[in-house]
């Protein structure tokens, strides 16, 4: 039995008011699309187009929302790892972090990330039981020339995981190349009926889509691969200060992207991703730990779940701490609780991330896994043996008795949640074991996990073939 | 003196209506335009700058003051002697090719403008040729480059190299910034100024002009 309720920020009546305001923005203000191809498609579907500005009529919007699926099956190279995203999914899905410029660990501190760091993050994600999705670019491989990154990173992705994949915006020809490479592994024509890779696409807030994001939406839709439209507007800078105003605006942006995807290919998977933030208005910098931020995003999660019936995603584990300290922990936990209990189907930027998505920490990855596992357990609610009201048992044991030796306790004592990195020892035992803090334990776990991870998830011949594919194109 | 103080107060409050009214009143009362500019307005913006650094004033408040300042200067300009109200310097700025991030760059533009710089903002995804043509046309004192992506930081290096190769870099200072950029990278690619935020960008730009 899952929890009886999730977090709702606004009531149902308010939701339809917010939706109507969004329709007004789409019909009256419109959105800019910097692509002739997209503009032509909008025109052909009855939208009013002038210059790059597109005014999307209610009918087209409603038709598009209708055709977008409420759940998506995403396949992994290991088909046992396929997941359902959206309606009917058993638990929150977890995606590795993305885009961090710096890597942090206890041994070497903070430094520019390299391909070796990226591979280690891939390995941790592959082994991680909480992480159900692979790919992304947890840290930027600064030592690989930019023009070679796309293919080299994708090769390492395939090498180090067989989970369903998340990728980023790319020009159409690069996406085609990547899909070809995936089909080298899975067989020609595989992707057409196996959604396996989704890309995260950002509107250029406020209310615009640039060329490459548009190419990404359209190319993925044509190949039956989902996209996730992630708005990251900053309230007071690239969105209104008003929390509801920001929710309306990012709703308009995400739905604008949805209409484009559905016009390209009705039924293409679309993951609704509200990820706006309340910045530090003192200096206008991006910050992620404000308790106000998810008042915006949960309103959007409500819209997606209750009115549009769409799969959802949001950046769930962000914080502004520069090192994995107490601030990193409490801000992360605040955001995880809000986003997961708010019903997001996928959370991203939640495994290792620090410093407003600039830095990824190996030790924090291990701490985040446990934090996510705590919330996942809480969200399972009361199920299985826990639904037993136990009146008979309470009567049997009676006042002053002990449940410790009862068979029902013996039988179930190992089913209770346990920490994977937190310390539950007594003070004395903790001292005896070396008085380690959580960071030191996490550091040890990272090393153990990396040492135990296989060097490749690919069959050697396939690995050679994929490597040759990459070299032939560089 | 008190009319000057009330001008400064209106400027700090970012109240453009009150400010333009008080400037007009002061002129009507015979106060010298040059005195109003230096003792009430520029002095006021110095206070605003200081309060921004300490966090006493928030960025939107600072920008309101800067906009009000612009309106007040427009009134004074015809009355000032040649050279008195000239700009603090000319800047050409843009986000380099391949990069669409502009929130930070726009903030730098606003802060530079509020410190009296004449800024040509080329926007985002700016290719090297556009930089070169505009530099030729505007003859700026400072060139500003922004990049938020590690994949576009090399473009920053390339842009600087091309500016220098074309001979347009002589006597021009190059200023760079953006979240992943740091002092070491700035030095490595031959930039003259690195600033981590908009406030220090305008401060360093002013210092550079007086150097
Ligand atoms: C908002 C944002 C966006 C918005 C941009 C909207 C816009 N109009 O600018 C959107 C959502 C569109 C976006 C898109 C993308 N983004 Co982005 N984005 C951010 C975010 C969250 C905040 C940036 C911001 O605006 N900060 C607020 C401003 C005020 O701060 P600032 O930019 O740092 O500017 C200050 C200083 O740096 C300095 N400064 C800036 N410019 C200059 C110039 C000069 C001359 C000087 C002196 C100083 C200076 O002064 C400024 C004011 O104080 C950052 C994360 C972060 N922590 O920075 C990621 C981030 C920069 N983005 C990132 C990525 C990966 C992307 C995408 C590639 C995502 C994708 N998968 O498609 C695309 C790229 C699109 C493109 N081609 O450029 C990564 C970059 C990592 C990397 N590899 O380099 C980051 C770090 C997030 C992450 N971890 O993924 N992004």
């Amino acid at each position: 039995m899952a929890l009886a309720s999730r977090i709702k920020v606004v009531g149902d009546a308010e939701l339809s008011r917010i939706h109507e305001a969004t329709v007004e923005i789409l019909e009256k203000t419109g959105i800019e699309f910097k692509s002739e191809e997209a503009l032509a498609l909008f025109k052909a579907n009855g939208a009013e187009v002038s210059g790059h500005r597109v005014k999307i009529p209610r009918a087209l919007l409603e038709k598009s929302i209708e055709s977008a699926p409420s759940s998506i099956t995403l396949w992994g190279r290991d088909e046992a790892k396929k997941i359902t995203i959206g309606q009917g999914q058993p638990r929150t899905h977890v995606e590795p972090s993305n885009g961090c410029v710096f890597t942090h660990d206890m041994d070497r501190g903070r430094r520019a990330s390299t391909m070796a760091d990226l591979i280690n993050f891939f390995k941790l994600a592959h082994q991680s039981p909480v992480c159900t999705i692979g790919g992304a670019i947890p840290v930027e491989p600064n030592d690989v020339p930019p023009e070679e990154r796309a293919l080299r990173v994708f090769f390492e992705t395939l090498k180090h995981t067989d989970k369903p994949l998340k990728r980023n915006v790319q020009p159409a020809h690069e996406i085609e190349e990547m899909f070809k490479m995936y089909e080298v592994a899975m067989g020609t024509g595989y992707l057409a009926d196996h959604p396996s890779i989704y890309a995260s696409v950002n509107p250029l807030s406020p209310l615009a889509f640039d060329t490459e994001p548009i190419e990404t939406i359209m190319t993925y839709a044509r190949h039956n691969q989902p996209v996730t439209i992630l708005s990251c507007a900053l309230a007071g800078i690239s969105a209104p200060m008003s929390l509801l105003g920001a929710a309306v605006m990012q709703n308009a942006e995400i739905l604008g992207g949805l209409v484009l995807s559905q016009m390209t290919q009705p039924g293409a998977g679309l993951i609704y991703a509200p990820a706006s933030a309340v910045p530090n208005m003192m200096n206008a910098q991006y910050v992620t730990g404000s308790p106000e931020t998810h008042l915006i995003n949960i309103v959007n999660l409500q819209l997606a779940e209750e009115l549009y019936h769409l799969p959802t995603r949001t950046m769930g584990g962000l914080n502004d701490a520069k090192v994995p300290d107490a601030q990193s922990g409490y801000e992360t936990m605040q955001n995880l609780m809000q986003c997961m209990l708010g019903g997001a189907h996928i959370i991203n930027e939640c495994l290792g991330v620090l410093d407003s998505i600039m830095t990824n920490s190996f030790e924090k990855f291990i701490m985040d896994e446990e934090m996510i596992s705590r919330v996942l357990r809480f969200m399972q609610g009361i199920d299985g043996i826990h639904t037993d009201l136990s009146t008979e048992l309470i009567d049997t044991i009676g006042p002053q008795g002990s449940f410790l030796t009862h068979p029902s306790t013996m039988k179930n004592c190992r089913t209770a949640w346990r920490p994977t990195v937190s310390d539950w020892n007594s003070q004395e035992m903790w001292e005896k074991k070396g008085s380690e803090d959580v960071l030191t334990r996490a550091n040890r776990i990272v090393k153990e996990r990396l040492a135990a991870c296989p060097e490749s998830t690919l069959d050697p011949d396939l690995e050679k073939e994929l490597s040759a594919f990459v070299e032939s194109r560089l | 003196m008190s009319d000057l103080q009330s001008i400064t107060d209106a400027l700090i409050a970012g109240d453009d209506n009150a400010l333009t009214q008080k400037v007009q009143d002061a002129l009507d009362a015979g106060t010298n335009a040059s005195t109003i500019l230096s003792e009430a307005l520029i002095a006021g913006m110095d206070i605003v700058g200081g309060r921004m650094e300490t966090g006493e004033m928030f960025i939107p408040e600072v920008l309101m003051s800067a906009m009000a300042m612009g309106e007040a200067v427009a009134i004074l300009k015809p009355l000032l002697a040649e050279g008195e109200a000239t700009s603090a310097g000319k800047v050409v700025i843009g986000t380099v090719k391949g990069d669409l991030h502009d929130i930070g760059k726009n903030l730098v533009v606003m802060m530079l403008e509020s410190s009296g710089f004449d800024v040509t903002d080329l926007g985002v995804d700016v290719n090297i040729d556009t930089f070169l043509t505009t530099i030729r046309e505007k003859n700026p004192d400072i060139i500003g480059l922004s990049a938020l992506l590690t994949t576009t930081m090399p473009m920053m290096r390339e842009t600087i190299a091309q500016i220098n190769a074309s001979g347009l870099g002589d006597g021009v200072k190059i200023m760079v910034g953006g979240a992943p950029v740091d002092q070491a990278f700035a030095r490595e690619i031959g930039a003259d100024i690195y600033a981590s935020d908009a406030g220090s960008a305008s401060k360093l730009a002013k210092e550079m002009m007086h150097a």
Side-chain angles (χ1 to χ4, degrees), chain B residues 82-168:
Chain B
E82 184 89 31
E84 235 180 333
T86 49
S87 79
K90 272 189 283 182
V91 180
V92 167
I93 192 170
T95 301
V96 299
K97 179 86 195 137
D99 205 317
L100 302 172
H101 293 85
D102 66 358
I103 294 175
K105 184 263 302 163
N106 292 348
L107 219 56
V108 172
V109 169
M110 289 187 244
M111 291 313 301
L112 286 171
E113 281 177 340
S114 70
S115 323
F117 282 92
D118 172 5
V119 184
T120 305
D121 181 2
L122 298 175
V124 296
D125 196 13
V126 182
N127 61 40
I128 296 176
D129 278 345
T130 309
F131 273 114
L132 296 182
T133 327
T134 316
I135 295 167
R136 243 177 236 118
E137 191 183 308
K138 300 280 174 184
N139 198 16
D141 305 290
I142 296 174
I143 298 163
L145 305 176
S146 182
L148 267 278
L149 298 170
T150 52
T151 44
T152 56
M153 283 163 65
M155 186 49 77
M156 204 172 229
R157 179 199 302 270
E158 184 61 25
T159 307
I160 293 178
Q162 295 275 332
I163 291 170
N164 288 333
S166 64
L168 292 168

Side-chain angles (χ1 to χ4, degrees), chain A residues 98-101 140 168-169 200 202-205 232 234 284-286 349 356-358, chain B residues 93 98-105 107-108 144-146 148-150 175-179 195-198 201:
Chain A
N98 185 73
C100 297
V101 177
E140 273 295 324
N168 296 325
V169 165
S200 183
N202 305 121
L204 203 51
S205 304
C232 178
L234 314 187
Q285 286 297 316
Y286 176 62
E349 304 294 9
S356 326
I357 8 181
M358 290 302 288
Chain B
I93 192 170
D99 205 317
L100 302 172
H101 293 85
D102 66 358
I103 294 175
K105 184 263 302 163
L107 219 56
V108 172
L145 305 176
S146 182
L148 267 278
L149 298 170
T150 52
M175 180 167 77
V176 296
S196 65
D197 57 69

Side-chain angles (χ1 to χ4, degrees), chain A residues 42 69 96 111 186 264 303 334 384 448:
Chain A
F42 272 112
R111 69 228 183 223
M186 301 307 289
T264 310
L303 286 166
Q334 165 200 284
E448 286 164 8

Side-chain angles (χ1 to χ4, degrees), chain A residues 203-217:
Chain A
L204 203 51
S205 304
L207 301 172
F209 280 88
D210 199 70
T211 315
E212 268 185 31
I214 293 172
E215 280 181 27
T216 303
I217 295 173

Side-chain angles (χ1 to χ4, degrees), chain A residues 41 67 218 221-224 260-269:
Chain A
L41 194 56
S67 72
M218 297 180 79
R222 289 189 184 114
H223 285 271
N224 194 29
L260 178 62
S261 98
Q262 299 306 304
M263 290 187 313
T264 310
Q265 180 62 55

Side-chain angles (χ1 to χ4, degrees), chain A residues 282-334:
Chain A
M282 191 180 95
N283 57 10
Q285 286 297 316
Y286 176 62
V287 289
T288 58
S290 165
E292 294 178 288
T293 283
H294 293 303
L295 288 172
I296 304 174
N297 297 320
I298 294 175
V299 168
N300 292 88
L301 291 178
Q302 286 184 254
L303 286 166
E305 253 147 74
E306 283 149 48
L307 294 189
Y308 311 144
H309 310 293
L310 293 169
T312 58
R313 168 175 176 263
T314 192
M315 304 202 279
L318 294 176
N319 61 93
D320 305 310
K322 311 303 177 281
V323 292
D325 59 2
Q327 179 187 344
S328 84
Y330 60 71
E331 287 184 348
T332 298
M333 195 50 153
Q334 165 200 284

